[in-house]
Amino acid sequence: MRLSRFFLPLLKENPADAEIVSHRLMLRAGMIRQHASGIYNWLPLGYRVLRRIEQIVREEQDAAGAQEILMPTIQSAELWRESGRYEDYGKEMLRIKDRHDRDMLYGPTHEEVVTDVFRKNIHSYRDLPKILYQIHWKFRDEVRPRFGVMRGREFLMKDAYSFDLDMEAARRSYNRMFVAYLRTFRRMGLTAIPMAADSGPIGGDMSHEFIILADTGESAVFCHKALLEKPTPESVNYEGDLQPVVDEWTSLYAATDEKHTENHGVAPEDLISARGIEVGHIFNFGLKYSRPMDAVVQTVSDGTIPVQMGSYGIGVSRLVGAIIEASHDDAGIIWPDSVAPFHVGLINLKAGDVETDRVCAEIDARLSAAGVDVLYDDTQERPGAKFATMDLIGLPWQLIVGPRGLEKGVVELKRRATGERYEVSMETAIDRLIAPSSGS
Amino acid sequence: MRLSRFFLPLLKENPADAEIVSHRLMLRAGMIRQHASGIYNWLPLGYRVLRRIEQIVREEQDAAGAQEILMPTIQSAELWRESGRYEDYGKEMLRIKDRHDRDMLYGPTHEEVVTDVFRKNIHSYRDLPKILYQIHWKFRDEVRPRFGVMRGREFLMKDAYSFDLDMEAARRSYNRMFVAYLRTFRRMGLTAIPMAADSGPIGGDMSHEFIILADTGESAVFCHKALLEKPTPESVNYEGDLQPVVDEWTSLYAATDEKHTENHGVAPEDLISARGIEVGHIFNFGLKYSRPMDAVVQTVSDGTIPVQMGSYGIGVSRLVGAIIEASHDDAGIIWPDSVAPFHVGLINLKAGDVETDRVCAEIDARLSAAGVDVLYDDTQERPGAKFATMDLIGLPWQLIVGPRGLEKGVVELKRRATGERYEVSMETAIDRLIAPSSGS
């Protein structure tokens, strides 16, 4: 993609209304523009990142055996009356009347709808277990939306729902999602720590929030520092017993503010007290919806029992902000390779110079043909402005091509994260950027 | 994917409320389930098809130089008051009050929002031309939703918007989309004919509906029969002059009911009069939004002028139904390879038989490793029921493995579209299904 054509409206100044760094950087880098309070347009750069994150989430859900569906955004209020939540939900629910004066709503979550899908289509223990998920837009009418996409009103979420015959099977589904979450966030370059969380009246130990540490986090969290260094499982057999992995992670103390106690048994020098951003939440809610909504399955002995359910959320659009909170410097964003909107920013230091243009066009063509996403700055801007733009938008690699280097037979390769620079031949640069180890 | 695990709730009977074949087959094949009138859940089989169609649309939009963004579903009414459409739009618009009593709406279309994005971020002729598009859910509160996803209330659409300095440039953008549409529908196995359509008060010749012929089509259409056989451009240089391609397609008579006249000059034996399904609509609307909303750009001579705009829609969720209308038989759906939810249905005729299970598992593993999507029927159903299921869900290939064939060293390969069957060795079957010419 040529920058001269790319729709990338940058802001020179920090927007006054953006309180946290990810919001500022997303606006400055032309990733999003606000439409209304807590409602955003995703511009090409931002939308590319959102889709990369979405795809990682999807791949890890699929690998864990979850099956993708899509439920509607506009729901009938009837189901919410059955579950008893219609009146309870409060003003965060966007309530709507359709033209026939029927009560509808914009789904803030989908337990009712998925339970309805289940009860109408699955009737036997033989069809269990099942995990269904979707990646879709939800709406919660927050009183005071803020922090850009971190707490918007319209937001993209992955929500999965498990259906099991009994609690033992429900724990297996829970463990699958637990492990899938560890892998999902790690693939995005995040250290997300599962923390015991409040599970409401259902209780039990099957409720964890996945939290990344960041100064701008909305809540206080506490954990053993060893959790920050713990490796996530490289390859997982989701058919096997995942309890040991879960035990290993949950044996060390980690708790959100709500669940924090003084009896944690962690030595003071090992306890981290920090601010955290919640990026995922998994929990088992047993029969909370299946009982009132009559979602039952036939058992082996031919009776029927309500199905055990759990729900598993990831804030997909929120993650765009969360990753920036975790990965930036004074000059701008530093994208992890796995979610970067482009892999390489190709900078032409003298657009219009025949030889420089020719080399840049060749590099662009060869990298693109190899499946490497390139943003080619072919504009007439000064070199300083070009460097600042590339640092701001945070592509993992910059490849800088100018007449002086070409006279010596070299181009310059810069790694955004470390600032390291290498003078190399064009061929070496291309090889390096195509190599899988470069993270593309 | 093993069928024993796959969430595929089939219906044996034709649902009473489904009037047209695509609606019946989508329900019977477990692709969708109605949530409320005109609002559907997409189950795994249906969602896979929807995503394939979406991806073809995206690739062809990208190839044509359009850039993907995402605008919100919930919009502020303010912009619609600026354009003058808020009061005019009528009851199809789902109007909403948020918790602060602000007028919002669920976008039935996005001209106002995209014009607002444009005017706030693009200010110079140097940044033109631009084509921005999104693939997103919209809501139109139809009085009487029907035909399943063909005329739903919540539906997935690709909508693109072009921004140009003058009419000459606007025509170039229009032509890009015209050609991209020809390619898009052809890739899905459809013959979509561009037909002169009513363009409203703006007029001109830049308004075409893309229509596929089907008995269940909602409107009468007329065209020269040569259009049905016309090849679409194989490879296109979108930087070049596309007018000859557009001229070639528009020189033959084709018109929707609204635009049909008796002065068409087509010999009676060459004129087709049929029913049609609209799958796309492109039109230039000039300054209709840019003028009232003050979306202007600086010109070379340093004045400002409102930008020329066009809009380009494809009914993505509707296409799932439209493709079925165009491609089915009495036994079920016949998916074109490019949009099929799986490429191969692998049928184990005797699940539980050690050798048959072993061979099926090997085929499944090898095809999957080669990137071929397999739905493996490993259930205990009778062969007849298995064949009926595979015919119903319409995967392009069936690979049938049973003990009797294996004794002879063969498996059976069946092409769904033609019913052709081949007895071949397992190796030959695998090679054939992996080969690019098998359409995967």
Side-chain angles (χ1 to χ4, degrees):
Chain A
M1 173 64 69
R2 287 181 179 238
L3 186 59
S4 58
R5 296 180 185 182
F6 192 50
F7 179 37
L8 183 72
L10 304 175
L11 299 181
K12 292 227 162 58
E13 307 296 326
N14 271 327
D17 58 332
E19 296 170 61
I20 62 174
V21 66
S22 59
H23 190 191
R24 282 198 295 275
L25 288 173
M26 288 181 75
L27 289 168
R28 284 192 50 209
M31 293 178 65
I32 52 168
R33 286 295 181 264
Q34 182 172 297
H35 168 78
S37 173
I39 302 178
Y40 290 89
N41 293 296
W42 292 78
L43 306 192
L45 193 79
Y47 195 51
R48 291 176 78 102
V49 176
L50 187 66
R51 284 182 51 81
R52 299 250 162 154
I53 292 171
E54 181 185 332
Q55 186 57 23
I56 290 173
V57 171
R58 174 174 293 120
E59 287 170 10
E60 294 298 330
Q61 289 290 298
D62 290 344
Q67 297 182 47
E68 189 168 10
I69 62 174
L70 197 75
M71 293 177 276
T73 61
I74 298 297
Q75 307 178 3
S76 158
E78 269 173 58
L79 294 177
W80 291 71
R81 294 205 173 95
E82 278 191 61
S83 74
R85 285 209 291 180
Y86 187 63
E87 302 305 333
D88 293 354
Y89 208 94
K91 289 198 155 187
E92 276 191 19
M93 181 189 279
L94 194 66
R95 290 157 211 264
I96 303 167
K97 295 247 188 219
D98 74 5
R99 68 187 297 161
H100 300 297
D101 219 34
R102 282 177 295 224
D103 287 323
M104 312 293 285
L105 56 98
Y106 197 122
T109 176
H110 280 71
E111 281 83 3
E112 281 79 359
V113 177
V114 82
T115 303
D116 184 54
V117 168
F118 181 89
R119 69 181 174 180
K120 286 180 174 155
N121 294 287
I122 295 184
H123 307 290
S124 165
Y125 72 93
R126 283 189 213 90
D127 295 322
L128 301 181
K130 280 280 181 295
I131 304 178
L132 303 177
Y133 79 98
Q134 68 170 351
I135 302 174
H136 208 4
W137 292 86
K138 300 196 187 317
F139 199 97
R140 289 183 195 158
D141 203 357
E142 304 267 355
V143 190
R144 198 165 77 85
R146 59 198 164 133
F147 301 158
V149 299
M150 297 277 280
R151 190 172 283 278
R153 294 197 288 170
E154 191 168 321
F155 57 99
L156 185 62
M157 196 167 158
K158 185 283 297 181
D159 44 325
Y161 304 91
S162 62
F163 303 89
D164 286 285
L165 189 62
D166 53 37
M167 277 306 276
E168 200 184 314
R171 186 173 292 278
R172 285 196 294 271
S173 293
Y174 186 85
N175 289 351
R176 280 180 183 228
M177 286 295 118
F178 189 104
V179 174
Y181 276 40
L182 291 175
R183 289 170 52 85
T184 300
F185 299 122
R186 187 54 58 91
R187 276 185 67 185
M188 298 172 192
L190 295 173
T191 301
I193 299 168
M195 300 198 178
D198 202 11
S199 52
I202 296 145
D205 60 341
M206 286 199 275
S207 175
H208 287 91
E209 288 178 11
F210 285 74
I211 289 185
I212 64 168
L213 306 186
D215 295 340
T216 49
E218 63 229 305
S219 57
V221 296
F222 306 85
C223 71
H224 194 294
K225 73 176 185 191
L227 284 166
L228 294 177
E229 306 299 332
K230 194 173 272 303
T232 49
E234 285 283 329
S235 74
V236 176
N237 172 17
Y238 281 103
E239 304 298 321
D241 182 11
L242 301 172
Q243 196 63 48
V245 181
V246 174
D247 288 346
E248 195 194 321
W249 277 86
T250 54
S251 62
L252 290 168
Y253 185 75
T256 60
D257 207 10
E258 303 166 300
K259 293 281 278 188
H260 182 54
T261 69
E262 290 307 316
N263 304 321
H264 48 70
V266 182
E269 65 273 22
D270 289 335
L271 186 72
I272 289 177
S273 160
R275 309 292 299 176
I277 299 171
E278 182 195 330
V279 288
H281 189 186
I282 64 179
F283 67 114
N284 177 284
F285 47 71
L287 311 178
K288 181 172 177 193
Y289 301 95
S290 55
R291 197 143 47 190
M293 293 183 67
D294 206 26
V296 302
V297 286
Q298 287 206 310
T299 61
V300 186
S301 55
D302 223 30
T304 61
I305 54 168
V307 70
Q308 294 284 345
M309 290 177 61
S311 91
Y312 312 89
I314 290 179
V316 177
S317 47
R318 154 173 281 211
L319 273 166
V320 181
I323 291 169
I324 296 174
E325 291 293 330
S327 185
H328 66 271
D329 62 16
D330 289 346
I333 302 165
I334 303 172
W335 292 117
D337 293 276
S338 58
V339 303
F342 298 89
H343 190 55
V344 185
L346 172 61
I347 299 177
N348 182 332
L349 288 179
K350 199 169 179 185
D353 176 72
V354 176
E355 179 62 5
T356 311
D357 288 355
R358 190 193 64 73
V359 172
C360 285
E362 182 182 340
I363 292 172
D364 187 18
R366 285 174 60 184
L367 288 175
S368 300
V372 175
D373 283 323
V374 179
L375 182 63
Y376 169 25
D377 186 345
D378 60 339
T379 66
Q380 304 286 340
E381 286 283 346
R382 298 172 293 108
K386 291 191 173 193
F387 297 143
T389 293
M390 282 298 173
D391 280 354
L392 173 64
I393 68 175
L395 310 184
W397 291 100
Q398 296 170 17
L399 181 52
I400 303 148
V401 181
R404 250 180 281 175
L406 291 181
E407 268 173 38
K408 293 191 290 172
V410 297
V411 297
E412 195 177 22
L413 199 53
K414 178 183 159 186
R415 181 75 178 158
R416 172 67 179 89
T418 59
E420 287 167 276
R421 293 159 176 273
Y422 314 89
E423 284 208 334
V424 293
S425 70
M426 178 185 83
E427 293 299 331
T428 303
I430 290 175
D431 287 349
R432 180 124 186 206
L433 292 171
I434 290 176
S437 64
S438 84
S440 86
Chain B
M1 172 64 71
R2 288 183 177 236
L3 186 58
S4 59
R5 297 179 185 182
F6 193 50
F7 179 37
L8 185 71
L10 304 176
L11 299 180
K12 292 225 164 57
E13 307 296 328
N14 271 326
D17 57 331
E19 298 169 59
I20 61 172
V21 66
S22 61
H23 190 192
R24 283 198 294 276
L25 287 173
M26 288 182 74
L27 289 167
R28 286 191 50 208
M31 294 178 63
I32 53 168
R33 286 295 181 264
Q34 182 172 297
H35 169 79
S37 173
I39 302 178
Y40 291 88
N41 293 295
W42 291 79
L43 306 192
L45 193 79
Y47 195 50
R48 290 175 79 101
V49 176
L50 187 65
R51 285 182 50 82
R52 298 249 164 155
I53 292 172
E54 181 184 330
Q55 187 57 24
I56 290 173
V57 171
R58 174 175 292 120
E59 287 170 9
E60 295 297 331
Q61 289 291 298
D62 290 345
Q67 297 182 47
E68 190 169 9
I69 63 174
L70 197 76
M71 293 177 276
T73 61
I74 299 296
Q75 306 178 4
S76 159
E78 268 173 61
L79 294 178
W80 291 70
R81 294 208 172 94
E82 277 192 62
S83 74
R85 285 209 293 181
Y86 187 64
E87 303 305 332
D88 294 353
Y89 208 93
K91 288 197 155 190
E92 277 191 18
M93 181 188 279
L94 194 66
R95 290 157 210 265
I96 303 167
K97 294 244 187 222
D98 74 4
R99 70 187 297 161
H100 299 299
D101 219 34
R102 281 176 294 223
D103 287 322
M104 312 293 284
L105 56 100
Y106 197 123
T109 177
H110 280 71
E111 280 84 2
E112 281 81 357
V113 178
V114 83
T115 304
D116 185 54
V117 167
F118 180 90
R119 70 181 173 180
K120 286 179 174 155
N121 294 288
I122 295 184
H123 306 291
S124 163
Y125 72 93
R126 284 188 212 91
D127 295 322
L128 301 183
K130 280 279 181 296
I131 304 179
L132 304 176
Y133 79 98
Q134 67 170 350
I135 301 175
H136 208 4
W137 293 86
K138 301 197 188 311
F139 199 96
R140 289 183 197 159
D141 203 356
E142 303 268 355
V143 190
R144 197 166 78 85
R146 59 197 164 133
F147 302 158
V149 299
M150 297 277 281
R151 189 172 283 280
R153 292 198 288 172
E154 191 168 321
F155 59 97
L156 185 60
M157 196 167 158
K158 186 283 297 180
D159 45 324
Y161 305 90
S162 63
F163 303 89
D164 286 286
L165 189 62
D166 53 38
M167 278 305 276
E168 198 185 316
R171 184 173 293 277
R172 284 195 295 270
S173 293
Y174 186 86
N175 289 351
R176 281 181 182 229
M177 287 294 118
F178 188 105
V179 173
Y181 276 39
L182 291 176
R183 289 171 52 84
T184 299
F185 298 122
R186 187 55 58 91
R187 276 185 67 184
M188 298 173 192
L190 295 173
T191 302
I193 299 168
M195 300 198 180
D198 202 12
S199 54
I202 296 144
D205 59 342
M206 286 200 274
S207 175
H208 287 90
E209 290 180 10
F210 285 73
I211 289 186
I212 63 167
L213 306 188
D215 294 341
T216 49
E218 64 229 304
S219 57
V221 296
F222 306 85
C223 72
H224 194 293
K225 72 177 186 189
L227 284 167
L228 294 177
E229 306 300 331
K230 194 173 271 304
T232 49
E234 285 283 330
S235 74
V236 176
N237 171 18
Y238 282 103
E239 304 298 321
D241 182 11
L242 301 172
Q243 195 63 47
V245 181
V246 174
D247 288 345
E248 194 193 323
W249 277 85
T250 53
S251 62
L252 289 168
Y253 185 75
T256 61
D257 208 10
E258 303 165 301
K259 293 282 278 190
H260 183 53
T261 68
E262 290 308 315
N263 303 323
H264 47 70
V266 182
E269 65 272 22
D270 289 337
L271 186 73
I272 290 177
S273 161
R275 309 290 300 175
I277 300 172
E278 182 194 330
V279 288
H281 189 186
I282 63 178
F283 68 113
N284 176 284
F285 48 71
L287 311 178
K288 181 173 176 192
Y289 301 94
S290 56
R291 198 146 45 190
M293 293 183 66
D294 207 25
V296 301
V297 286
Q298 286 207 310
T299 61
V300 187
S301 55
D302 224 29
T304 62
I305 54 169
V307 69
Q308 293 285 345
M309 290 177 62
S311 93
Y312 312 89
I314 289 179
V316 177
S317 47
R318 153 172 282 212
L319 273 166
V320 181
I323 290 169
I324 296 174
E325 291 292 331
S327 184
H328 67 273
D329 62 17
D330 288 346
I333 302 165
I334 303 171
W335 290 117
D337 294 271
S338 57
V339 303
F342 298 90
H343 190 55
V344 185
L346 173 61
I347 299 178
N348 182 333
L349 289 178
K350 199 168 180 186
D353 176 72
V354 175
E355 180 61 6
T356 312
D357 287 357
R358 191 193 63 73
V359 171
C360 284
E362 183 183 340
I363 292 172
D364 188 16
R366 284 173 60 185
L367 288 176
S368 301
V372 176
D373 284 323
V374 179
L375 182 62
Y376 169 25
D377 186 346
D378 59 339
T379 67
Q380 303 285 339
E381 286 284 346
R382 299 174 293 106
K386 291 192 174 193
F387 296 143
T389 293
M390 281 299 171
D391 280 353
L392 173 63
I393 68 176
L395 311 183
W397 292 98
Q398 296 170 18
L399 181 52
I400 302 150
V401 181
R404 252 180 281 174
L406 290 180
E407 268 174 37
K408 293 191 291 174
V410 297
V411 296
E412 195 177 24
L413 199 53
K414 177 184 159 188
R415 180 76 178 159
R416 173 67 180 89
T418 59
E420 289 167 277
R421 292 158 175 275
Y422 315 89
E423 283 208 334
V424 293
S425 70
M426 178 185 84
E427 293 300 329
T428 304
I430 291 175
D431 287 350
R432 181 125 183 204
L433 292 170
I434 290 175
S437 63
S438 83
S440 87

